[in-house]
């Protein structure tokens, strides 16, 4: 009998925390900090992300049978049919929450986001370039969903930064099983440095905001940069996997940096809480360890 923990593993539950801040960053960039019913927007992102993770394992079930037999589907703990049903239900719930939170303006971005997620998992994922760009587009659209269709333009920069980081992490994640190469890992580390610099260069306002943006950008770079540099020096699979995990976890401080950059300290503070929660979950001494990548 399938247990709740098996489904949490299927959807990479700890990694879901890394998507909550996309709409916070998008709303801040558009001058629309989340408030009122729009506070449901991060939950919409979480459901869409979880649906994509379930669909990812459904699409990868044959590959996982060879490379990751401990995953829920190849181990027999979740059937392919149930995984597909979970992906469909979570996607529908995510779109419903998107409509409830932002109405037509948000749904106008949410629907292309859902289509992009399913396209990545079922069509483009097998191709290195197309798959990485497709995944980056998913993350960028999630940021824009927080802004809403009528406020996309001012949020394009934030969407580009989140999308760029996601493209880099996705490229690196392809080396989790067989190892990466020094050029790929070095390029990803360089991209992290450029993105951190862009966060500072694009900040404006009082000196306190600039200092906060510098601190937030540094926190982002320090979260994932060292692991990426280690992978560049030794591109073995274990280093590529650790760098991928670091890149996923770094998305929360990156979102917080974007919120700070666009004058939303409340949103940034909330994301700090999300980051602390993620650390607590990962540091639990007992219980099942759930993959984030």
């Amino acid at each position: 009998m399938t247990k709740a923990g098996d489904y949490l593993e299927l959807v990479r539950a700890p990694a879901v925390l890394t998507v909550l801040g996309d709409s916070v960053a998008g709303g801040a960039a558009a001058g629309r900090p989340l408030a009122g019913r729009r506070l449901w927007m991060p939950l919409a992102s979480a459901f869409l992300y979880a649906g994509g993770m379930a669909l990812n394992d459904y699409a990868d079930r044959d590959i996982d049978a060879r490379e990751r037999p401990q995953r829920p589907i190849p181990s027999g703990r979740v059937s392919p049919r149930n995984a597909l049903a979970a992906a469909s239900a979570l996607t529908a719930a995510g779109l419903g929450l998107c409509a409830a939170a932002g109405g037509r303006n948000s749904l106008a971005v949410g629907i292309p986001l859902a289509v992009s997620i399913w396209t990545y998992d079922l069509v483009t994922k097998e191709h290195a370039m197309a798959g990485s760009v497709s995944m980056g587009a998913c993350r960028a659209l999630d940021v824009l969903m927080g802004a809403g269709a009528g406020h996309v333009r001012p949020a394009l920069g934030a969407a580009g930064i989140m999308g760029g980081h996601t493209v880099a992490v996705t490229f690196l994640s392809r080396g989790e099983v067989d190892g990466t190469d020094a050029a790929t890992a070095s390029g990803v580390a360089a991209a992290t440095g450029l993105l951190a610099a862009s966060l500072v260069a694009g900040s404006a306002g009082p000196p306190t905001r600039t200092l906060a943006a510098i601190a937030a950008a540094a926190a982002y770079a320090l979260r994932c940069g060292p692991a990426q540099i280690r992978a560049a020096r030794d591109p073995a699979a274990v280093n590529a996997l650790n760098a991928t995990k670091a890149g996923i976890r770094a998305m929360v401080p990156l979102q917080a940096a974007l919120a700070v950059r666009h004058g939303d300290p409340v949103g940034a503070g909330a994301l700090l809480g999300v980051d602390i929660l993620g650390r607590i979950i990962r540091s639990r001494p007992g219980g099942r360890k759930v993959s984030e990548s």
Side-chain angles (χ1 to χ4, degrees):
M1 181 178 179
T2 303
K3 300 178 181 178
D6 297 324
Y7 282 107
L8 291 175
E9 186 175 352
L10 180 74
V11 302
R12 317 290 206 281
V16 172
L17 294 175
T18 70
V19 81
L20 297 175
D22 286 345
S23 53
V24 175
R32 305 177 71 211
L34 300 189
R37 65 175 186 168
R38 296 186 72 248
L39 287 171
W40 290 102
M41 195 63 72
L43 193 58
S45 297
F47 272 79
L48 289 170
Y49 183 92
M53 289 294 98
L55 185 65
N56 176 81
D57 272 22
Y58 170 80
D60 280 356
R61 61 193 184 279
D62 293 332
I63 296 174
D64 284 345
R66 299 189 303 270
E67 298 180 349
R68 302 178 180 90
Q70 75 279 7
R71 294 290 301 154
I73 296 178
S75 67
R77 289 178 286 125
V78 178
S79 70
R81 179 179 179 180
N82 286 345
L84 183 59
S88 301
L90 288 166
T91 299
L95 289 175
L97 285 165
C98 175
R104 292 181 180 179
N105 275 343
S106 294
L107 199 58
V109 183
I111 290 175
L113 170 57
V115 171
S116 296
I117 291 171
W118 280 64
T119 299
Y120 168 78
D121 283 325
L122 299 178
V123 180
T124 64
K125 181 171 57 178
E126 299 305 317
H127 308 281
M129 179 61 74
S132 298
V133 172
S134 178
M135 180 63 86
C138 290
R139 185 65 73 151
L141 284 169
D142 198 32
V143 173
L144 296 179
M145 189 172 72
H151 307 270
V152 162
R153 181 171 292 182
L156 287 176
I161 288 173
M162 285 303 306
H165 175 77
T166 304
V167 169
V169 172
T170 305
F171 259 117
L172 194 54
S173 71
R174 293 181 174 274
E176 290 181 8
V177 175
D178 298 319
T180 184
D181 58 77
T184 297
S186 297
V188 170
T192 294
L194 289 173
L195 290 172
S198 71
L199 288 168
V200 177
S203 62
T208 53
R209 183 189 297 182
T210 299
L211 290 174
I214 292 172
Y220 155 66
L222 290 173
R223 179 65 60 85
C224 58
Q228 293 164 352
I229 293 172
R230 283 194 294 272
R233 291 174 176 171
D234 178 6
V238 64
N239 289 331
L241 175 59
N242 289 335
T244 299
K245 290 180 179 179
I248 293 171
R249 296 168 185 172
M251 288 179 177
V252 180
L254 177 55
Q255 294 154 351
L258 287 167
V260 168
R261 170 184 172 182
H262 293 289
D264 183 11
V266 174
L271 290 174
L272 176 61
V274 170
D275 193 40
I276 293 172
L277 176 61
R279 287 174 177 266
I280 292 172
I281 291 173
R282 292 192 298 270
S283 65
R284 289 185 307 169
R288 176 188 298 179
K289 297 296 182 181
V290 179
S291 173
E292 298 171 77
S293 62

